[in-house]
Amino acid sequence: APHRVGGDRRSRCRVRCSTVTDTPSAGTPGIGATEANASTPDADAPASSPYCHVLFASPQIPPNTGNAIRMCAGTGAALQLAEPLGFNFEERHVRRAGLDYHDLAEVHVHPSLDAALTLLVGPASPLADGEGVPAGDARNVGDGLPEGDGRNAGDVLPDGADRQTGAVGARPRVFAFTAHAEKWHVDVDYRPGDVLLFGPEPTGLSDEALADPRVTDLIRIPMIPGRRSMNLSHAAAVAAYESWRQRG
């Protein structure tokens, strides 16, 4: 079951468990909307419909998640963490990086990346012809289909269109951030409820995660040549602030 991180200021990193009794529907804006037997939110708890979800897949370095907690508290984004985690929330590095913001941020912990995506977006459904999307493939203007796929039928699908039906807005969009992508983060027309997906610090997102059919597009943050990667919390802040900036 997903966990929500929060609590009073005396136990900021305490994890409050809640049980999901019903299968969440696609398009659910936040975990709080589908929780049963959840603790009553504090009066200053964050809104349940954040402008975006920052999703960390198996983060390993405590200060990075602490920094992301502080960033999400300041912007109104929700932080989603997919286990296994490389730390626990009692570690001083998490508490120190988050300062007094742990109780002001919306933070949820999921048992796996698949569980997080299922709750935020919906269950994975294979492509109609059973063909997966190659990891790192140049996707067609954000539609999630490999270049030359027959279902494109010579047409460019709108950014964020469902890769099976072509419908826009069928499910929330997932943008996977990777150095293997070509499209820049500023070239996305972000919408409320988008999921910004980042991999663990040592390796980035796995080929399996990049090929997940729920991923709308692969995105990169530009760097000068010869640089391998950005710090996880810095990359998340760059993406989240761009999404927020576009909302005016």
Side-chain angles (χ1 to χ4, degrees):
H3 301 67
R4 176 162 179 173
V5 178
D8 58 33
R9 294 180 183 272
R10 292 170 297 177
S11 57
R12 297 187 185 94
C13 293
R14 178 168 57 88
V15 176
R16 294 187 294 177
C17 299
S18 57
T19 303
V20 176
T21 56
D22 297 319
T23 301
S25 60
T28 301
I31 293 175
T34 60
E35 287 178 344
N37 304 321
S39 301
T40 301
D42 299 329
D44 58 350
S48 59
S49 298
Y51 73 93
C52 77
H53 298 272
V54 175
L55 174 53
F56 285 178
S58 192
Q60 300 297 304
I61 300 176
N64 285 339
T65 294
N67 290 336
I69 289 172
R70 187 176 183 182
M71 182 272 291
C72 287
T75 64
L79 181 61
Q80 314 286 346
L81 305 175
E83 295 179 327
L85 309 181
F87 53 86
N88 64 67
F89 280 89
E90 294 304 324
E91 292 195 28
R92 63 184 179 88
H93 296 295
V94 178
R95 298 198 308 271
R96 179 181 297 174
L99 296 177
D100 291 330
Y101 292 87
H102 293 83
D103 54 331
L104 301 178
E106 183 174 346
V107 184
H108 301 277
V109 180
H110 307 264
S112 67
L113 177 58
D114 179 71
L117 290 175
T118 296
L119 191 58
L120 293 168
V121 179
S125 54
L127 294 172
D129 58 4
E131 176 184 313
V133 179
D137 193 88
R139 306 193 181 197
N140 182 23
V141 195
D143 66 7
L145 291 176
E147 195 69 30
D149 189 287
R151 281 155 293 151
N152 286 330
D155 297 324
V156 176
L157 293 178
D159 189 28
D162 184 86
R163 67 180 63 186
Q164 292 195 56
T165 66
V168 177
R171 300 203 290 189
R173 304 178 304 172
V174 179
F175 295 104
F177 284 75
T178 171
H180 303 296
E182 297 295 331
K183 188 173 186 177
W184 285 18
H185 71 293
V186 294
D187 295 329
V188 176
D189 182 14
Y190 294 100
R191 297 199 294 261
D194 284 343
V195 178
L196 313 180
L197 173 60
F198 299 86
E201 292 91 337
T203 61
L205 290 167
S206 66
D207 289 347
E208 180 182 5
L210 293 174
D212 191 293
R214 290 166 291 194
V215 171
T216 304
D217 209 348
L218 307 184
I219 304 298
R220 70 177 297 142
I221 297 172
M223 296 180 291
I224 63 176
R227 276 38 174 190
R228 183 174 60 88
S229 64
M230 291 180 65
N231 173 271
L232 173 61
S233 61
H234 295 172
V238 168
Y241 269 94
E242 173 62 18
S243 173
W244 194 27
R245 183 194 68 81
Q246 290 186 16
R247 297 197 64 198

